[in-house]
Amino acid sequence: MKELEDRIRRDGTVKPGNVLKVDAFLNHQCDVALFDRMGQEWARLFSGKRIDKILTIEASGIGIACVAARHFGNVPVVFAKKTQSINLDGDQYVSSIYSYTKQREYPVIVAKRFLSQGDHVLLIDDFLAKGNALHGLIDICHHAQAVIEGIGIAVEKGFQEGGRTLRAEGYDVQSLAIVEAMDASTGEITFGSREG
Amino acid sequence: MKELEDRIRRDGTVKPGNVLKVDAFLNHQCDVALFDRMGQEWARLFSGKRIDKILTIEASGIGIACVAARHFGNVPVVFAKKTQSINLDGDQYVSSIYSYTKQREYPVIVAKRFLSQGDHVLLIDDFLAKGNALHGLIDICHHAQAVIEGIGIAVEKGFQEGGRTLRAEGYDVQSLAIVEAMDASTGEITFGSREG
């Protein structure tokens, strides 16, 4: 998606250690008009598929998923939680992931009543690098016996293994921008494409 | 907002300890069509005010704020973070709040470059009870010398002091549903109104 690539070039920042900061428009400050066009693009990429529900994970995926849902007939968005709370009761699907940005292990929790056998699910997240968060969501979908119709990603780091692994596992992964290389010293970002 | 009250009556659950669970449509599973109509209602309630930016706090506020932003001319949504991360660098506004649902102290963090002196800000959150989260956001707005134009809340617990305190402090608080009383034994919920 050219608009997203252009935006990353303009407002993204490359930091040492393969960190790409897109907090100006994606995951701290949110450009909701951009989110809307991202949703429109995913709707095109996943057209013809039955999507009953969008599943994402707190926190950065929520805004993107909720705005995108409009383009999937306003299907419900369920966001997996990363902490237990007194508001989370009843039966739960629980998986576990390691977050590199937060540098610790997290639970991934979805109340059983919000994900059912036979639900056709679209997974949405802001970033795909090693794919840990997504594998947590996939694990939960398997427990629920839900059908994963596709995975919509805003920014994929193509030089890390997450996307390759998920595609090899047979998932329909549609990343709107794939960063093939980035250089913290020059700030240069090279995009690739796996569409089509 | 009658639709939200009806929905709380239908799909909300009252639990002992003044807990109102609305996770079927508001803060775990998200009804984005409802969020859209909530945004429309806040736009009506805050019409005539200059809103440059919507400020909320992760995680439950994000989806509501991002969908509502459409009715405020797609202004940027900034969500305060509750954990430090290697993605959060640079100068930050930091406050601290106590969460009763998570039963621990949290930092509230906003990168300084996303909130500026003279920004006219609308605060949005899913719940208002004691008002701790909102006071964290207000504290950050004061540090930034931003102008708080109003506070949009989905569900206010009118029997707790948060709304009363904020209104006494002069804030324009618009809660779409105000629960005046609830009974865990019968499940009965009584709504009030502070509009007009």
Side-chain angles (χ1 to χ4, degrees):
Chain A
M1 185 182 176
K2 188 172 180 306
E3 180 188 358
L4 184 59
E5 294 180 0
D6 290 346
R7 190 61 180 277
I8 293 167
R9 276 207 185 86
R10 198 185 81 191
D11 292 330
T13 318
V14 184
K15 298 272 178 180
N18 279 331
V19 174
L20 175 62
K21 285 174 65 71
V22 289
D23 55 357
F25 54 98
L26 207 66
N27 51 21
H28 186 7
Q29 181 165 257
C30 304
D31 180 338
V32 295
L34 172 65
F35 288 8
D36 191 60
R37 289 186 292 270
M38 288 163 51
Q40 200 169 18
E41 178 65 3
W42 279 317
R44 187 185 71 77
L45 293 165
F46 295 112
S47 66
K49 295 203 168 189
R50 170 183 154 193
I51 308 288
D52 302 322
K53 195 161 272 197
I54 293 175
L55 179 64
T56 186
I57 184 163
E58 64 178 13
S60 310
I62 301 172
I64 299 169
C66 283
V67 172
R70 197 158 81 91
H71 298 281
F72 292 87
N74 280 333
V75 292
V77 172
V78 175
F79 63 89
K81 308 219 171 188
K82 289 179 179 168
T83 45
Q84 285 289 353
S85 134
I86 58 169
N87 280 336
L88 262 175
D89 58 1
D91 282 348
Q92 304 167 349
Y93 301 110
V94 182
S95 188
S96 180
I97 56 168
Y98 183 79
S99 162
Y100 287 87
T101 48
K102 307 269 167 128
Q103 300 179 351
R104 64 180 180 88
E105 194 88 15
Y106 274 101
V108 184
I109 309 160
V110 173
K112 285 195 177 176
R113 67 192 184 286
F114 301 137
L115 196 61
S116 303
Q117 185 175 356
D119 275 348
H120 288 241
V121 176
L122 173 64
L123 307 184
I124 294 269
D125 208 2
D126 60 334
F127 258 95
L128 170 58
K130 288 172 183 281
N132 288 0
L134 280 168
H135 277 106
L137 294 180
I138 289 169
D139 191 33
I140 278 174
C141 286
H142 288 167
H143 284 298
Q145 296 182 269
V147 180
I148 297 170
E149 286 288 352
I151 300 175
I153 298 294
V155 186
E156 176 180 341
K157 287 175 171 174
F159 54 87
Q160 289 188 270
E161 74 273 19
R164 199 164 48 241
T165 307
L166 288 166
R167 289 181 185 95
E169 288 166 0
Y171 294 106
D172 181 6
V173 182
Q174 298 290 351
S175 302
L176 302 184
I178 300 179
V179 176
E180 291 299 354
M182 54 190 202
D183 186 328
S185 60
T186 63
E188 202 184 342
I189 302 170
T190 311
F191 292 99
S193 172
R194 286 216 189 74
E195 268 182 61
Chain B
M1 185 184 178
K2 187 172 180 307
E3 181 188 0
L4 183 60
E5 292 180 1
D6 290 346
R7 190 63 179 276
I8 293 167
R9 277 208 185 87
R10 198 185 81 190
D11 293 332
T13 318
V14 184
K15 298 270 177 182
N18 279 331
V19 174
L20 175 62
K21 286 175 65 72
V22 288
D23 54 357
F25 54 97
L26 206 66
N27 52 19
H28 186 6
Q29 181 164 256
C30 304
D31 181 338
V32 295
L34 172 65
F35 288 9
D36 191 60
R37 290 186 292 270
M38 287 163 53
Q40 201 169 17
E41 178 65 2
W42 280 317
R44 187 184 71 79
L45 293 165
F46 295 112
S47 67
K49 295 203 168 187
R50 170 182 155 192
I51 307 289
D52 302 321
K53 195 161 273 198
I54 293 175
L55 178 64
T56 186
I57 184 164
E58 65 178 12
S60 310
I62 300 174
I64 300 169
C66 282
V67 172
R70 196 159 82 89
H71 298 281
F72 292 88
N74 280 333
V75 291
V77 172
V78 175
F79 63 89
K81 308 217 170 189
K82 289 178 180 169
T83 46
Q84 284 290 353
S85 133
I86 58 169
N87 279 337
L88 261 174
D89 58 2
D91 281 347
Q92 304 166 349
Y93 300 111
V94 181
S95 189
S96 181
I97 55 168
Y98 183 80
S99 162
Y100 286 86
T101 50
K102 307 267 166 128
Q103 299 178 351
R104 64 179 177 89
E105 194 88 16
Y106 274 101
V108 183
I109 308 162
V110 173
K112 284 195 178 175
R113 65 193 185 288
F114 301 137
L115 196 61
S116 304
Q117 183 175 357
D119 275 348
H120 289 241
V121 176
L122 173 65
L123 307 184
I124 294 268
D125 208 2
D126 60 334
F127 258 95
L128 170 58
K130 287 172 184 282
N132 288 0
L134 280 169
H135 276 106
L137 294 179
I138 289 168
D139 191 33
I140 279 174
C141 287
H142 288 166
H143 283 298
Q145 295 182 270
V147 180
I148 298 170
E149 286 287 353
I151 300 174
I153 298 294
V155 186
E156 176 179 342
K157 288 175 170 172
F159 53 88
Q160 290 188 269
E161 74 272 20
R164 199 167 47 240
T165 307
L166 289 166
R167 289 182 184 94
E169 288 167 359
Y171 294 106
D172 181 5
V173 182
Q174 297 291 350
S175 301
L176 302 183
I178 300 179
V179 176
E180 290 299 353
M182 55 191 200
D183 186 329
S185 60
T186 62
E188 201 185 342
I189 301 170
T190 310
F191 292 99
S193 173
R194 287 217 188 72
E195 268 182 60

